[in-house]
Amino acid sequence: MVKRNTNMAKLTAGYLFPEINRRKREYLQKNPSAKIISLGIGNTTEPLTPHVVEGLRKEVDRLSTREGYSGYGDEQGITEFRAQLAEKLYGGLIKGDEVFISDGAKCDIARLQTMFGSEVTMAVQDPSYPVYVDGSVISGVTGYYNDARCQFDNIVYMKCCLENDFFPDLSSQQRTDLIYFCSPNNPTGAVASKKQLSELVEFARKNRSIIIFDSAYSEYISDPSLPKSIYEIEGAREVAIEVSSFSKPIGFTGVRLGWTVVPDQLKFDDGTPVRNDWNRIMTTLFNGASNIAQHGGMAALEAAGLAEMRSLITYYMDNAKIIKQALDRKGIKSCGGINAPYVWAHFPGRKSWEVFTEILEKCQIVTTPGAGFGPAGEGFIRFSAFGHREDFIEAVKRLEIL
Ligand code: PLP
């Protein structure tokens, strides 16, 4: 028999979303006629938009001819696409050859974890997207388990709560090699200001740490004063990698397309450019993003595609408004849902799995319990703005009885 990877056994409980689905299935077995509305998982629901579909279709057509067919492409992505992305989404703050196109942000996070290896220490916002911690644990970033804190000592949680405006108190934060930071944030919907991100960059520079900045929801920012990219902050090019995605802005959750930016100036302590190792990882462990998906991505960056992106985002953000207003009417305080597609609702003094169960049983609505994103998520419920409008209209009626 093969010995089990001991890191797998170190993972706490099941991954959050399979656990939510398990509870939903269990409820349905007992209540087979229930019409459940899911406002839980951040999966997109609206169809691909026409101009983007045209881009995908044209590439399928090209591939179906002998002259047009191509097999593997460059592992880093289509050169023209990388350049367009740098120009259209980053306004030239980065160069095309610093962009590495991929099959999505989640996969890139896992590959970054492979690149940094098991010897690093890391900090993560608490609460946060589970992949930063779980992926790190799988790749062996743990150290000793601290029974008193119920945490691994190489993984530091940076508490983000109402009291600190969902931005960690860096003055009391210990140094770590890596700092995972997500803005707009999943799950809290908080968006870090320029001043806050400047503090973070300064902190990383002082400590010679590397920030892994997840901007998967950056296109949901409508307030022009809020930074969409870490590279809007002076000095970030020497300390930050940015991971991002076409999943949420243009509905590519199933198509699969994302990217990672590794600036030339970012170096390991021995002076090796991080970009070189990332290139090695991508050429070794990845065979390039789908050529069809990349052409869809290129169409999304054209004027018509960008307009479709805006209207898709407006659609989801109107859903967020509907939920926020319903919570307001019930006197339930919430944050997020303004420049991010997540509404973070507060149920002070209550356990979030208990509130999850109550909402499921009374309203037949699936939400996401805040505790699933980290200890500081306790007492919160995440409502996702991804869903059909009619489901939101029905959901808010049902929430009245809470
Ligand atoms: N980063 C964050 C913060 C997310 O919430 C998600 C998906 O929910 C991802 C990354 C995954 O993106 P992708 O679909 O590109 O793998």
Side-chain angles (χ1 to χ4, degrees):
M1 294 293 268
V2 177
K3 202 162 163 257
R4 187 180 183 209
N5 178 346
T6 51
N7 295 329
M8 295 304 294
K10 291 180 188 165
L11 290 169
T12 50
Y15 185 58
L16 175 62
F17 299 109
E19 177 59 19
I20 290 171
N21 277 330
R22 192 190 63 74
R23 293 185 187 219
K24 177 178 154 187
R25 271 196 310 276
E26 203 174 271
Y27 179 78
L28 274 173
Q29 265 161 16
K30 288 190 206 142
N31 306 275
S33 61
K35 297 236 171 335
I36 289 191
I37 296 177
S38 180
L39 305 183
I41 297 174
N43 203 354
T44 49
T45 55
E46 300 313 296
L48 294 173
T49 53
H51 186 74
V52 171
V53 170
E54 171 95 0
L56 295 164
R57 196 171 280 145
K58 272 195 196 150
E59 180 62 1
V60 173
D61 289 344
R62 187 182 72 85
L63 292 173
S64 58
T65 64
R66 191 159 195 177
E67 311 73 52
Y69 176 79
S70 58
Y72 294 124
D74 292 339
E75 289 91 343
Q76 302 85 350
I78 299 169
T79 308
E80 187 194 339
F81 182 30
R82 300 168 77 194
Q84 279 175 7
L85 214 148
E87 188 203 317
K88 303 262 176 67
L89 297 187
Y90 290 86
L93 281 173
I94 55 163
K95 294 181 294 174
D97 64 6
E98 295 172 320
V99 178
F100 292 76
I101 307 291
S102 74
D103 52 350
K106 194 186 211 178
C107 323
D108 274 353
I109 293 164
R111 286 185 286 256
L112 283 167
Q113 288 162 343
T114 300
M115 178 179 80
F116 284 110
S118 60
E119 300 295 306
V120 288
T121 55
M122 59 168 276
V124 67
Q125 287 156 295
D126 174 20
S128 70
Y129 181 50
V131 180
Y132 312 136
V133 169
D134 285 0
S136 300
V137 170
I138 290 171
S139 40
V141 179
T142 49
Y144 289 108
Y145 189 73
N146 183 323
D147 285 317
R149 286 194 298 130
C150 298
Q151 282 167 12
F152 292 107
D153 59 4
N154 285 349
I155 301 178
V156 173
Y157 289 81
M158 306 185 292
K159 192 168 179 186
C160 295
C161 53
L162 281 169
E163 291 71 31
N164 62 13
D165 188 24
F166 297 98
F167 187 78
D169 176 8
L170 297 175
S171 65
S172 60
Q173 202 59 49
Q174 75 183 77
R175 184 210 174 267
T176 54
D177 296 316
L178 304 179
I179 304 167
Y180 288 84
F181 200 92
C182 176
S183 177
N185 190 266
N186 175 11
T188 65
V191 185
S193 67
K194 245 186 190 137
K195 182 170 171 290
Q196 288 171 330
L197 284 190
S198 303
E199 258 180 58
L200 183 71
V201 166
E202 191 43 43
F203 179 75
R205 290 175 69 88
K206 190 180 80 199
N207 288 309
R208 301 172 70 83
S209 308
I210 291 179
I211 300 166
I212 298 176
F213 189 76
D214 186 337
S215 66
Y217 299 95
S218 61
E219 291 306 315
Y220 283 80
I221 296 177
S222 55
D223 178 345
S225 72
L226 295 171
K228 284 185 166 181
S229 162
I230 191 78
Y231 303 117
E232 290 177 41
I233 309 300
E234 213 183 308
R237 289 178 59 85
E238 285 99 44
V239 290
I241 290 172
E242 184 162 312
V243 178
S244 204
S245 173
F246 277 89
S247 286
K248 310 302 165 94
I250 198 73
F252 271 24
T253 39
V255 175
R256 308 302 305 145
L257 192 66
W259 69 92
T260 287
V261 181
V262 186
D264 289 344
Q265 288 94 329
L266 187 68
K267 307 261 167 64
F268 287 109
D269 63 358
D270 67 355
T272 312
V274 174
R275 195 180 172 288
N276 292 3
D277 280 8
W278 183 240
N279 192 55
R280 184 74 163 90
I281 288 280
M282 291 302 272
T283 50
T284 306
L285 301 181
F286 186 60
N287 250 346
S290 143
N291 39 17
I292 300 167
Q294 292 191 72
H295 278 84
M298 281 199 268
L301 295 181
E302 286 164 6
L306 290 169
E308 289 176 354
M309 201 184 277
R310 292 266 58 86
S311 63
L312 199 54
I313 287 170
T314 303
Y315 179 89
Y316 289 130
M317 290 312 293
D318 285 346
N319 287 344
K321 243 181 248 162
I322 292 172
I323 282 291
K324 260 184 108 65
Q325 284 165 355
L327 293 169
D328 281 352
R329 283 197 296 276
K330 298 289 302 172
I332 298 167
K333 288 215 165 65
S334 69
C335 31
I338 296 170
N339 291 287
Y342 295 116
V343 176
W344 192 234
H346 197 198
F347 295 83
R350 300 208 40 204
K351 292 273 180 214
S352 51
W353 275 111
E354 176 197 308
V355 181
F356 165 89
T357 307
E358 184 184 338
I359 299 177
L360 177 62
E361 289 180 353
K362 284 194 181 157
C363 313
Q364 280 95 48
I365 295 174
V366 173
T367 56
T368 316
F373 297 100
E378 194 55 278
F380 286 88
I381 286 287
R382 188 192 78 172
F383 288 90
S384 155
F386 298 110
H388 300 310
R389 179 63 40 79
E390 61 273 21
D391 287 342
F392 278 80
I393 292 168
E394 171 61 21
V396 297
K397 279 191 214 148
R398 295 189 193 174
L399 284 171
E400 285 300 319
I401 58 160
L402 246 197

